[in-house]
Amino acid sequence: MMKQGFRFNRLLLYLLLGVMALFFLMPIYVMIITSIKPLDEVSLDRMWELPSTISFEAYQYAFERLYPNFVNTLYLVIPATLLSALLGSLNGYVLSKWKFKGSDWIFTAILFGMFIPYQSILIPLIQFLQNIGLYNSIPGLILVHVVYGIPITTLIFRNFYANIPNELLEACKIDGAGFLGIYRYVMFPLSISGFVVVCIWQFTNIWNEFLFAVSITSSGSQPVMVALQNLSGSQIVHWNVQMAGALLAALPTLLIYILVGKYFVRGLLAGSVKG
C-alpha cells in the first residue's frame, strides 16, 4: 500500500514538473515558430500557428546585421571574463589563506560592491572613462565589467579555497614555496572547477548585460544586446527578424550551459560546504 502511494506521488510530481516545463517553454516555442515564418504570416492572432512554409530569411538578415556586434561582444566577454576570474581567484586566495589584520573588513568592503546599483554610479563612471580616454570603447567596457565582477568572483573563490586544508599550504612552505609559488603549483590546479563556475557566471552576465553596454558604447563598438534592441527598427517591427536575432544572441550562452553545465553545478557544490 505504501509502495503504491509512493508511486502515485512520484507520478504526480513528474506530471507537475512536466506541466511546469511546458509552461516555461511556451515563449521559446513562439520565438522559434515566429522566426521561421514569412513576414505575412506573423500576426498576434496567428501567434501559435505553425508556418505554412519554413523560411530562414529572418535568420540570414538578423545575422548579417548582428555579426559585427557579435565580434564586439567576443572582444569584450573573453578578456573581461578571464581577468575578473583571475583577480577574483587571487583575492580569494589571499583572503582565505593569508589572513592579515583588517582582512575581514576588506572582504566586507569588496562584497559591498555587489549591492551598489548600476544606475547610481553611471554618471560618475562615464565621466571617469572620458577622463582616462576609454569612453565609447571596448577596453572601457572591459574595465567596467572586470571591476564589477571582482566582488562575486572573490566571494566564490574565497569559499572554494576555504575547503583546501591549511596543512597543504604549510607543507608547501616547508618545501620552500612562497606566496606565488603556492598559488601557481597548488591552489590554481586545485581550483579548476572554481574557474569553470566563475567563467560561466561571468560570461553569461557580461554577454547579457545591457545598461553599461548602451551607456558606454555607441555605433561601431556596441555589443550584440544593444544591436538586438536596435534591430526592431523605428516604424514597423519585423517580429520574425526580431525573434531570429534574439535566438542567435542567446545561442552562445545556451551552448555554454549545455556543454559545461554539469561542471557548473559540481563547482558550486564544491564551494558550498564551508564558507
Side-chain angles (χ1 to χ4, degrees):
M1 210 50 194
M2 289 181 62
K3 197 171 184 180
Q4 289 180 347
F6 175 77
R7 288 179 178 175
F8 176 77
N9 291 337
R10 193 166 186 175
L11 181 62
L12 189 63
L13 176 62
Y14 285 151
L15 181 62
L16 178 62
L17 292 174
V19 171
M20 293 174 65
L22 288 175
F23 181 78
F24 179 79
L25 292 173
M26 283 168 57
I28 309 298
Y29 166 78
V30 173
M31 290 178 66
I32 293 175
I33 64 169
T34 302
S35 67
I36 59 177
K37 284 181 179 180
L39 183 59
D40 56 358
E41 294 185 23
V42 179
S43 61
L44 190 61
D45 56 334
R46 302 175 65 181
M47 180 174 63
W48 300 98
E49 296 180 9
L50 292 172
S52 58
T53 57
I54 296 177
S55 172
F56 293 100
E57 292 182 3
Y59 282 95
Q60 181 180 355
Y61 179 79
F63 182 77
E64 290 174 356
R65 291 284 302 274
L66 295 177
Y67 177 75
N69 306 96
F70 265 110
V71 176
N72 288 341
T73 307
L74 289 175
Y75 287 153
L76 161 67
V77 73
I78 293 174
T81 298
L82 295 178
L83 284 173
S84 58
L86 180 60
L87 292 175
S89 174
L90 289 170
N91 286 343
Y93 169 52
V94 171
L95 294 171
S96 62
K97 298 302 182 184
W98 294 81
K99 295 276 186 161
F100 54 91
K101 187 176 181 180
S103 60
D104 290 336
W105 287 100
I106 292 177
F107 179 59
T108 303
I110 292 175
L111 290 187
F112 182 73
M114 295 173 56
F115 305 102
I116 300 177
Y118 290 179
Q119 297 84 349
S120 65
I121 53 91
L122 201 54
I123 293 176
L125 175 63
I126 291 174
Q127 292 175 340
F128 172 74
L129 291 175
Q130 288 174 337
N131 291 335
I132 64 174
L134 290 180
Y135 180 70
N136 192 23
S137 68
I138 294 297
L141 202 52
I142 290 173
L143 175 63
V144 171
H145 283 295
V146 168
V147 172
Y148 247 95
I150 284 176
I152 183 63
T153 58
T154 299
L155 174 64
I156 294 175
F157 275 112
R158 182 180 182 270
N159 290 343
F160 186 89
Y161 290 144
N163 293 322
I164 297 177
N166 291 326
E167 292 77 11
L168 183 59
L169 273 70
E170 295 298 329
C172 294
K173 291 178 184 178
I174 294 173
D175 290 337
F179 173 82
L180 291 178
I182 294 174
Y183 177 80
R184 179 181 177 183
Y185 296 108
V186 178
M187 304 299 284
F188 183 82
L190 291 176
S191 59
I192 298 301
S193 58
F195 271 96
V196 171
V197 171
V198 167
C199 287
I200 293 175
W201 178 274
Q202 284 295 94
F203 183 93
T204 304
N205 284 342
I206 297 171
W207 187 280
N208 293 328
E209 198 278 327
F210 180 80
L211 180 60
F212 285 147
V214 76
S215 303
I216 295 173
T217 60
S218 62
S219 59
S221 57
Q222 287 178 337
V224 69
M225 288 303 164
V226 180
L228 180 62
Q229 193 272 336
N230 297 333
L231 192 64
S232 60
S234 56
Q235 300 296 328
I236 300 175
V237 179
H238 293 183
W239 287 110
N240 55 342
V241 175
Q242 192 74 7
M243 297 299 179
L247 288 169
L248 288 174
L251 189 59
T253 53
L254 180 63
L255 289 176
I256 288 291
Y257 275 104
I258 290 175
L259 295 175
V260 294
K262 60 181 180 180
Y263 301 106
F264 180 76
V265 176
R266 289 177 187 173
L268 281 178
L269 293 176
S272 64
V273 178
K274 183 178 178 183

